[in-house]
Amino acid sequence: MAKKQEAEKELKAKEAELDVVIAPEEKETIESEADSLSIEEIKSKVTAANEDFDWDADEKKFGNYSDADREKLEKMYDGTFSSINKGEIISGIVVNINSKDVVLNIGFKSDGLVSVSEFRDTPDLKIGDEVDVFVESQEDANGQLVLSRKRAKTQKSWERINSALDNDEIITGFVKSRTKGGLIVDIMGVEAFLPGSQIDIKPIRDYDVYVGKTMEFKVVKINHEFKNVVVSHKVLIEDDLENQKTEIVAKLEKGQVLEGTVKNITDFGVFIDLGGVDGLLHITDISWGRIEHPREVLSLDQKINVVVLDFDDEKKRIALGLKQLTPHPWQSLDPNIVIGSKVKGKVVTVADYGAFLEIIPGVEGLIHVSEMSWSQNLRNPQEFLKVGDEVEAQVLTLDRDERKMSLGVKQLTPDPWQNAGEKYAIGTKHVATVKNMTNFGVFVELEDGIDGLIHISDLSWSKKVNHPNEFTKVGEKLDVVVLELDIENRKLSLGHKQLEENPWDTFETIFTIDSIHEGTVLKVTDKGAVVALPYGVEGFAPIKHTVKEDGKSLKADDVADFKIIEFNKENKRIVISHSRIWEEARNEVKAQENESRKKEVKATVNAVKKVKDSVEKSTLGDLSVLAQLKEQLEGAESKARKAAPAPKKAEPKEEA
């Protein structure tokens, strides 16, 4: 800058030697007329004003400069300009500000222009201020130097951001707006992303409260390829809290009462902020009474007092309690409540084995399923009670030291078995409801608390029942008769078929051995076929007794005749055969054929005998003729013997 000023002074001195003096008003007149006058006219006007001005002074070298001086001055003048390269950041002085541009002197041959819009963040900008700019181009189409303050700021910002990441430094940024999952932060012109999880150590529910604030951050990640920056404010808080945690944990004592703020609520408990360190308040330590979820008692940001139950120095885990700040409810339980007392409460839990009744908050008693009804047939407790029911119960056991109580509901009603001997005497008939079924029988209910069993063999006289569900179903009504009664053991044996006479006494006279009856095949198994006989009776045909005369076996739904080959009244068993019918008929036909053949042989033998006797009495002249006749008869006898069947062996007795 000093060299430039010296050169300008020397030029002014040389101009003074030329005595080229033009009055300002005349200079303005010349400039205004320059567009309409020729060079000669302009010269004449200037000459008129100053007749000593010589337009050819430069050609005549009136400046008195030698070539060496001129070259020296030109080098001196060129030395006043800075060396400027494209892409570098330089400083400039504001020399002019207009509505469109800010003019900067950067020590180059020409001043640079920067759009005034790039200075919106500096409304107090004035002439003489120094600013940094980025050289985008030394010369545009108009020969103008192209500069950018925005790019200079961005490049310097990236350098600052990279330095902050490398050196783990804290930087300041302005929260511009909210975006999906977090906030957009302006860091010296560079937009960075602040994830919602990195705003604070506690969950943030409203991101908008941070928009428009200036905050401190740490750069945690930079993606140079996509120019993405991720920052965190949470790490700054964590760093501060880490020191606070150490101090707080060092001062903790079991039983100490602290004030905290509900930070987070989960299904299993609540996290409490103790002023820099978190503690867990488990759901079981919130209330002496039973609660389903912590939200029933606590809410977010609520301030509460808690007691320190336990803590871990190494892992810095703190267990807190809330209910411990109040006396245990068992201590305030009415002392007049004893075994046999009646109490009222609300059902708070129903399990497979029973229900818990809350007498007062924190004091519960168990009603076992066996104490809900006089019935010996245990059922699901939910059939009797549900959560929220207000019920009355009797205290069965009470242990105040162990804080345990068992209750009963059935004890509030009379025991139905007290009068069962009179009401359910053997032989009496009743109507029962099917409650349950097993492989061996049906459990029925005569009244609430009185149950009985119908054995599977006592369901039907005629129908063979493989499982009770073939005969009845749960919820149906059945007529029953009492077969046995055991009041001491509360057992009742019932029958259903006994309501009718035993039809097998009649069946014995109908389904006699060797009698034939028409039947329908119900089903076929590997062992044989089940056949429906008249009067609703079923018979069983072994597999070998299901063969038809054509060699094929009977199939389901086939109708055929069957012979009774076995009848057992005690076991209600009838064995039948279809094959026996046609086999015996075929054997009878064969027997008749054999009998007729035997008769023919016998007649032939007799005829031969007569011929022999006749031959012995004949003359010699007749011998030749008789010999021929004898030969013919003997041939006939031989043929008859061959045709006769062999003697039949005794057949073994066929098993049913």
Side-chain angles (χ1 to χ4, degrees):
M1 293 295 291
K3 291 182 179 180
K4 184 177 180 182
Q5 292 174 357
E6 291 178 2
E8 288 176 350
K9 289 180 180 179
E10 187 170 348
L11 287 174
K12 289 180 180 180
K14 295 296 182 182
E15 288 175 356
E17 294 178 359
L18 296 174
D19 294 330
V20 182
V21 180
I22 303 175
E25 60 273 9
E26 291 179 355
K27 184 177 181 181
E28 291 178 2
T29 302
I30 293 173
E31 289 177 352
S32 63
E33 294 177 354
D35 294 336
S36 60
L37 297 177
S38 65
I39 296 299
E40 295 299 329
E41 290 175 333
I42 293 173
K43 287 181 178 181
S44 62
K45 284 184 174 289
V46 176
T47 304
N50 192 343
E51 294 180 357
D52 296 332
F53 183 78
D54 188 353
W55 288 95
D56 299 322
D58 186 56
E59 296 178 1
K60 296 176 181 179
K61 299 183 180 180
F62 286 167
N64 295 326
Y65 289 113
S66 64
D67 292 338
D69 292 338
R70 184 178 294 277
E71 184 178 354
K72 179 181 178 182
L73 290 173
E74 288 177 356
K75 288 181 178 181
M76 186 183 298
Y77 183 71
D78 290 338
T80 61
F81 301 112
S82 302
S83 177
I84 296 175
N85 298 316
K86 179 181 178 181
E88 65 178 339
I89 298 176
I90 58 176
S91 296
I93 303 298
V94 179
V95 296
N96 190 17
I97 302 175
N98 56 44
S99 59
K100 292 183 179 180
D101 301 306
V102 174
V103 183
L104 298 175
N105 180 3
I106 60 173
F108 198 54
K109 296 178 181 180
S110 61
D111 292 334
L113 299 180
V114 180
S115 174
V116 72
S117 62
E118 295 191 26
F119 292 89
R120 285 179 295 184
D121 59 333
T122 54
D124 298 331
L125 183 69
K126 60 185 181 298
I127 295 174
D129 288 349
E130 184 175 352
V131 295
D132 292 331
V133 290
F134 180 85
V135 180
E136 291 190 343
S137 175
Q138 291 184 350
E139 190 174 341
D140 61 5
N142 299 321
Q144 185 67 50
L145 183 64
V146 181
L147 305 174
S148 172
R149 177 173 178 267
K150 181 179 180 181
R151 289 196 60 178
K153 285 180 59 180
T154 302
Q155 186 165 321
K156 282 198 169 185
S157 298
W158 274 105
E159 292 175 358
R160 177 72 180 89
I161 291 171
N162 279 279
S163 175
L165 177 62
D166 295 337
N167 301 318
D168 195 28
E169 297 176 352
I170 298 174
I171 57 176
T172 303
F174 176 77
V175 181
K176 292 176 58 177
S177 61
R178 175 181 177 178
T179 187
K180 183 178 180 181
L183 299 168
I184 299 298
V185 179
D186 185 337
I187 301 176
M188 297 176 291
V190 176
E191 288 189 347
F193 177 60
L194 174 62
S197 61
Q198 296 298 316
I199 298 176
D200 204 335
I201 57 173
K202 61 182 180 181
I204 302 300
R205 293 179 292 276
D206 185 10
Y207 294 169
D208 292 332
V209 297
Y210 292 92
V211 176
K213 291 185 176 181
T214 299
M215 303 169 62
E216 291 184 335
F217 307 96
K218 273 192 176 182
V219 180
V220 295
K221 184 179 179 181
I222 297 177
N223 187 323
H224 294 281
E225 181 179 357
F226 298 102
K227 298 294 185 181
N228 291 337
V229 181
V230 180
V231 296
S232 172
H233 179 68
K234 177 181 177 181
V235 295
L236 299 178
I237 302 175
E238 289 177 338
D239 291 343
D240 294 337
L241 291 181
E242 193 64 30
N243 298 327
Q244 296 180 25
K245 285 182 181 180
T246 304
E247 296 178 3
I248 293 174
V249 173
K251 297 178 182 178
L252 283 179
E253 294 180 3
K254 291 183 180 180
Q256 184 179 6
V257 178
L258 302 173
E259 184 183 46
T261 304
V262 177
K263 179 179 178 181
N264 191 20
I265 299 177
T266 66
D267 294 336
F268 58 86
V270 177
F271 288 96
I272 306 295
D273 183 359
L274 301 175
V277 63
D278 292 343
L280 175 61
L281 174 61
H282 197 270
I283 186 172
T284 57
D285 292 313
I286 293 177
S287 171
W288 290 115
R290 193 183 296 267
I291 60 175
E292 297 297 326
H293 198 279
R295 287 195 183 92
E296 298 176 16
V297 180
L298 300 172
S299 58
L300 288 173
D301 300 327
Q302 180 180 352
K303 292 187 178 298
I304 58 172
N305 288 329
V306 289
V307 60
V308 178
L309 302 180
D310 198 2
F311 59 90
D312 183 348
D313 290 332
E314 294 181 0
K315 297 183 179 180
K316 299 178 182 177
R317 293 180 179 177
I318 305 173
L320 305 174
L322 178 62
K323 69 181 184 181
Q324 289 79 2
L325 296 175
T326 58
H328 198 288
W330 273 89
Q331 298 176 3
S332 59
L333 183 64
D334 189 350
N336 295 323
I337 295 178
V338 295
I339 295 176
S341 299
K342 294 180 181 180
V343 294
K344 291 183 179 180
K346 181 176 68 173
V347 177
V348 291
T349 302
V350 178
D352 294 337
Y353 53 86
F356 287 93
L357 188 70
E358 186 180 62
I359 310 304
I360 60 175
V363 177
E364 298 175 2
L366 172 64
I367 307 175
H368 194 268
V369 63
S370 61
E371 305 298 339
M372 294 181 180
S373 171
W374 289 109
S375 173
Q376 296 298 304
N377 182 23
L378 295 181
R379 290 176 281 179
N380 191 330
Q382 293 182 349
E383 296 181 21
F384 301 97
L385 300 171
K386 62 180 183 294
V387 175
D389 285 350
E390 299 280 348
V391 297
E392 186 178 24
Q394 182 175 325
V395 179
L396 304 180
T397 64
L398 179 62
D399 189 338
R400 292 178 180 269
D401 294 333
E402 295 293 329
R403 295 171 180 173
K404 291 182 180 180
M405 180 191 307
S406 62
L407 307 172
V409 174
K410 70 181 184 182
Q411 287 77 7
L412 301 179
T413 58
D415 185 357
W417 281 93
Q418 292 178 351
N419 301 321
E422 300 176 3
K423 190 173 182 179
Y424 300 105
I426 295 175
T428 56
K429 298 178 182 179
H430 306 274
V431 177
T433 303
V434 177
K435 290 296 181 181
N436 192 18
M437 287 182 284
T438 65
N439 293 330
F440 57 84
V442 180
F443 287 97
V444 296
E445 184 182 64
L446 298 171
E447 65 173 281
D448 188 20
I450 301 292
D451 298 330
L453 171 65
I454 307 174
H455 195 270
I456 191 171
S457 61
D458 293 319
L459 290 174
S460 175
W461 287 111
S462 57
K463 186 176 180 181
K464 183 179 180 180
V465 182
N466 296 315
H467 193 278
N469 58 17
E470 299 175 2
F471 187 84
T472 185
K473 59 183 179 181
V474 175
E476 278 190 346
K477 301 288 185 181
L478 280 181
D479 292 327
V480 295
V481 61
V482 178
L483 303 180
E484 297 179 10
L485 176 63
D486 186 350
I487 297 179
E488 183 178 353
N489 295 315
R490 297 175 179 258
K491 290 184 178 180
L492 195 61
S493 178
L494 306 172
H496 175 71
K497 70 180 184 181
Q498 288 79 3
L499 296 172
E500 302 174 353
E501 293 184 2
N502 188 354
W504 284 88
D505 295 336
T506 305
F507 295 157
E508 189 177 21
T509 62
I510 297 174
F511 299 102
T512 58
I513 301 298
D514 292 334
S515 61
I516 298 175
H517 306 271
E518 185 180 73
T520 303
V521 178
L522 298 178
K523 64 180 180 179
V524 179
T525 65
D526 295 339
K527 295 182 178 180
V530 179
V531 181
L533 298 173
Y535 307 105
V537 180
E538 292 181 356
F540 178 73
I543 192 69
K544 64 181 180 180
H545 290 284
T546 62
V547 180
K548 297 187 291 185
E549 192 172 2
D550 59 3
K552 298 180 180 179
S553 297
L554 293 170
K555 302 187 298 295
D557 299 329
D558 284 352
V559 178
D561 289 334
F562 296 89
K563 177 175 280 192
I564 307 298
I565 60 177
E566 181 186 339
F567 183 89
N568 190 322
K569 183 173 70 172
E570 286 74 18
N571 297 325
K572 301 178 182 60
R573 175 181 172 86
I574 301 176
V575 182
I576 57 179
S577 173
H578 172 71
S579 303
R580 184 72 62 84
I581 296 174
W582 59 264
E583 285 175 351
E584 290 180 351
R586 179 183 291 179
N587 292 337
E588 186 177 351
V589 171
K590 286 183 179 181
Q592 292 176 356
E593 290 177 352
N594 292 337
E595 188 66 28
S596 63
R597 286 173 183 166
K598 288 180 181 179
K599 289 180 180 179
E600 290 178 0
V601 170
K602 186 175 182 182
T604 303
V605 171
N606 291 335
V608 170
K609 187 176 181 182
K610 289 181 180 180
V611 171
K612 288 182 178 180
D613 293 342
S614 175
V615 168
E616 292 177 354
K617 296 177 181 180
S618 301
T619 61
L620 293 174
D622 298 327
L623 288 175
S624 61
V625 176
L626 290 173
Q628 292 177 358
L629 179 61
K630 179 182 179 182
E631 185 178 340
Q632 291 176 357
L633 291 173
E634 288 177 351
E637 183 181 3
S638 176
K639 289 181 180 180
R641 288 175 179 174
K642 291 181 179 179
K648 188 175 182 181
K649 296 181 180 179
E651 295 182 1
K653 186 176 181 180
E654 186 174 15
E655 294 182 0

Short mmCIF file of all heavy atoms in Angstrom, two decimals, residues 463-464 519-525 528-533 536-539 554-559 562 576:
data_model
loop_
_atom_site.label_atom_id
_atom_site.label_comp_id
_atom_site.label_asym_id
_atom_site.label_seq_id
_atom_site.Cartn_x
_atom_site.Cartn_y
_atom_site.Cartn_z
N LYS A 463 -76.51 -99.67 23.99
CA LYS A 463 -75.47 -99.08 23.16
C LYS A 463 -74.11 -99.19 23.84
O LYS A 463 -73.97 -98.85 25.01
CB LYS A 463 -75.78 -97.61 22.88
CG LYS A 463 -74.82 -96.97 21.89
CD LYS A 463 -75.24 -95.53 21.59
CE LYS A 463 -74.29 -94.88 20.61
NZ LYS A 463 -74.66 -93.48 20.32
N LYS A 464 -73.11 -99.64 23.09
CA LYS A 464 -71.76 -99.71 23.62
C LYS A 464 -71.12 -98.32 23.49
O LYS A 464 -70.91 -97.81 22.39
CB LYS A 464 -70.93 -100.74 22.86
CG LYS A 464 -69.53 -100.89 23.43
CD LYS A 464 -68.73 -101.94 22.68
CE LYS A 464 -67.34 -102.07 23.27
NZ LYS A 464 -66.52 -103.09 22.56
N GLY A 519 -79.16 -107.34 9.35
CA GLY A 519 -78.41 -106.26 9.98
C GLY A 519 -77.72 -105.35 8.97
O GLY A 519 -77.56 -105.71 7.80
N THR A 520 -77.30 -104.17 9.45
CA THR A 520 -76.61 -103.18 8.60
C THR A 520 -75.21 -102.96 9.16
O THR A 520 -75.05 -102.67 10.36
CB THR A 520 -77.37 -101.84 8.57
OG1 THR A 520 -78.70 -102.07 8.11
CG2 THR A 520 -76.66 -100.85 7.64
N VAL A 521 -74.23 -103.06 8.29
CA VAL A 521 -72.84 -102.87 8.72
C VAL A 521 -72.63 -101.38 9.03
O VAL A 521 -72.81 -100.53 8.16
CB VAL A 521 -71.85 -103.34 7.65
CG1 VAL A 521 -70.42 -103.08 8.11
CG2 VAL A 521 -72.06 -104.82 7.34
N LEU A 522 -72.23 -101.09 10.27
CA LEU A 522 -71.98 -99.71 10.67
C LEU A 522 -70.55 -99.28 10.35
O LEU A 522 -70.31 -98.21 9.79
CB LEU A 522 -72.25 -99.53 12.17
CG LEU A 522 -73.69 -99.80 12.61
CD1 LEU A 522 -73.80 -99.64 14.12
CD2 LEU A 522 -74.66 -98.85 11.91
N LYS A 523 -69.58 -100.11 10.72
CA LYS A 523 -68.19 -99.80 10.42
C LYS A 523 -67.38 -101.09 10.37
O LYS A 523 -67.77 -102.11 10.97
CB LYS A 523 -67.59 -98.83 11.44
CG LYS A 523 -67.53 -99.38 12.86
CD LYS A 523 -66.91 -98.35 13.80
CE LYS A 523 -66.84 -98.90 15.23
NZ LYS A 523 -66.22 -97.92 16.16
N VAL A 524 -66.27 -101.04 9.67
CA VAL A 524 -65.41 -102.20 9.50
C VAL A 524 -64.02 -101.85 10.00
O VAL A 524 -63.48 -100.79 9.66
CB VAL A 524 -65.35 -102.64 8.02
CG1 VAL A 524 -64.42 -103.84 7.86
CG2 VAL A 524 -66.75 -102.98 7.50
N THR A 525 -63.44 -102.72 10.82
CA THR A 525 -62.08 -102.53 11.33
C THR A 525 -61.23 -103.73 10.93
O THR A 525 -61.70 -104.64 10.23
CB THR A 525 -62.09 -102.38 12.87
OG1 THR A 525 -62.53 -103.60 13.45
CG2 THR A 525 -63.01 -101.25 13.30
N GLY A 528 -62.90 -106.82 12.58
CA GLY A 528 -64.21 -107.26 12.15
C GLY A 528 -65.13 -106.09 11.88
O GLY A 528 -64.69 -104.97 11.64
N ALA A 529 -66.45 -106.37 11.93
CA ALA A 529 -67.44 -105.36 11.58
C ALA A 529 -68.45 -105.21 12.71
O ALA A 529 -68.86 -106.20 13.34
CB ALA A 529 -68.15 -105.73 10.29
N VAL A 530 -68.85 -103.96 12.97
CA VAL A 530 -69.92 -103.66 13.92
C VAL A 530 -71.21 -103.56 13.13
O VAL A 530 -71.30 -102.79 12.16
CB VAL A 530 -69.62 -102.37 14.68
CG1 VAL A 530 -70.76 -102.06 15.65
CG2 VAL A 530 -68.31 -102.48 15.44
N VAL A 531 -72.22 -104.34 13.54
CA VAL A 531 -73.46 -104.46 12.77
C VAL A 531 -74.64 -104.03 13.63
O VAL A 531 -74.74 -104.42 14.81
CB VAL A 531 -73.66 -105.90 12.27
CG1 VAL A 531 -74.94 -106.02 11.45
CG2 VAL A 531 -72.46 -106.34 11.44
N ALA A 532 -75.51 -103.21 13.05
CA ALA A 532 -76.73 -102.79 13.74
C ALA A 532 -77.80 -103.84 13.52
O ALA A 532 -78.20 -104.11 12.37
CB ALA A 532 -77.18 -101.43 13.22
N LEU A 533 -78.27 -104.43 14.62
CA LEU A 533 -79.32 -105.45 14.59
C LEU A 533 -80.65 -104.84 15.01
O LEU A 533 -80.70 -103.70 15.47
CB LEU A 533 -78.92 -106.61 15.52
CG LEU A 533 -77.62 -107.34 15.15
CD1 LEU A 533 -77.27 -108.34 16.24
CD2 LEU A 533 -77.73 -108.02 13.80
N GLY A 536 -82.23 -101.86 18.16
CA GLY A 536 -81.15 -100.97 18.57
C GLY A 536 -79.96 -101.67 19.16
O GLY A 536 -79.15 -101.04 19.86
N VAL A 537 -79.83 -102.98 18.91
CA VAL A 537 -78.72 -103.76 19.44
C VAL A 537 -77.62 -103.83 18.40
O VAL A 537 -77.88 -103.87 17.19
CB VAL A 537 -79.19 -105.17 19.84
CG1 VAL A 537 -78.03 -105.99 20.41
CG2 VAL A 537 -80.32 -105.08 20.86
N GLU A 538 -76.39 -103.85 18.86
CA GLU A 538 -75.25 -103.98 17.97
C GLU A 538 -74.58 -105.33 18.17
O GLU A 538 -74.46 -105.81 19.30
CB GLU A 538 -74.23 -102.86 18.23
CG GLU A 538 -74.72 -101.49 17.84
CD GLU A 538 -73.67 -100.42 18.08
OE1 GLU A 538 -72.59 -100.76 18.62
OE2 GLU A 538 -73.92 -99.25 17.74
N GLY A 539 -74.18 -105.94 17.06
CA GLY A 539 -73.46 -107.19 17.11
C GLY A 539 -72.10 -107.03 16.46
O GLY A 539 -71.85 -106.08 15.71
N LEU A 554 -67.87 -107.89 3.41
CA LEU A 554 -68.88 -106.85 3.60
C LEU A 554 -68.22 -105.50 3.86
O LEU A 554 -67.15 -105.42 4.47
CB LEU A 554 -69.79 -107.21 4.76
CG LEU A 554 -70.71 -108.43 4.56
CD1 LEU A 554 -71.36 -108.81 5.88
CD2 LEU A 554 -71.77 -108.14 3.50
N LYS A 555 -68.90 -104.44 3.38
CA LYS A 555 -68.41 -103.08 3.60
C LYS A 555 -69.45 -102.31 4.40
O LYS A 555 -70.57 -102.77 4.60
CB LYS A 555 -68.15 -102.38 2.26
CG LYS A 555 -67.14 -103.09 1.36
CD LYS A 555 -66.81 -102.25 0.14
CE LYS A 555 -68.03 -101.99 -0.74
NZ LYS A 555 -68.56 -103.23 -1.33
N ALA A 556 -69.03 -101.12 4.86
CA ALA A 556 -69.95 -100.26 5.62
C ALA A 556 -71.19 -99.97 4.80
O ALA A 556 -71.13 -99.77 3.58
CB ALA A 556 -69.25 -98.96 6.01
N ASP A 557 -72.34 -99.96 5.49
CA ASP A 557 -73.67 -99.70 4.92
C ASP A 557 -74.25 -100.89 4.16
O ASP A 557 -75.38 -100.80 3.64
CB ASP A 557 -73.65 -98.47 3.99
CG ASP A 557 -73.25 -97.20 4.72
OD1 ASP A 557 -73.56 -97.10 5.92
OD2 ASP A 557 -72.63 -96.32 4.09
N ASP A 558 -73.50 -102.00 4.06
CA ASP A 558 -74.08 -103.20 3.43
C ASP A 558 -75.13 -103.79 4.35
O ASP A 558 -74.98 -103.82 5.58
CB ASP A 558 -72.98 -104.23 3.16
CG ASP A 558 -72.13 -103.85 1.96
OD1 ASP A 558 -72.48 -102.87 1.27
OD2 ASP A 558 -71.10 -104.52 1.72
N VAL A 559 -76.23 -104.29 3.73
CA VAL A 559 -77.31 -104.96 4.48
C VAL A 559 -77.25 -106.45 4.15
O VAL A 559 -77.21 -106.83 2.97
CB VAL A 559 -78.68 -104.37 4.11
CG1 VAL A 559 -79.78 -105.10 4.86
CG2 VAL A 559 -78.72 -102.87 4.43
N PHE A 562 -77.44 -112.23 9.19
CA PHE A 562 -76.39 -112.68 10.10
C PHE A 562 -76.96 -113.73 11.05
O PHE A 562 -78.12 -113.63 11.49
CB PHE A 562 -75.83 -111.51 10.91
CG PHE A 562 -75.15 -110.47 10.09
CD1 PHE A 562 -75.86 -109.41 9.55
CD2 PHE A 562 -73.79 -110.55 9.84
CE1 PHE A 562 -75.23 -108.45 8.78
CE2 PHE A 562 -73.15 -109.59 9.08
CZ PHE A 562 -73.86 -108.55 8.54
N ILE A 576 -71.85 -112.46 15.74
CA ILE A 576 -72.67 -112.89 14.60
C ILE A 576 -71.78 -113.27 13.43
O ILE A 576 -70.58 -112.98 13.41
CB ILE A 576 -73.64 -111.77 14.18
CG1 ILE A 576 -72.85 -110.49 13.85
CG2 ILE A 576 -74.67 -111.50 15.27
CD1 ILE A 576 -73.72 -109.34 13.40
#
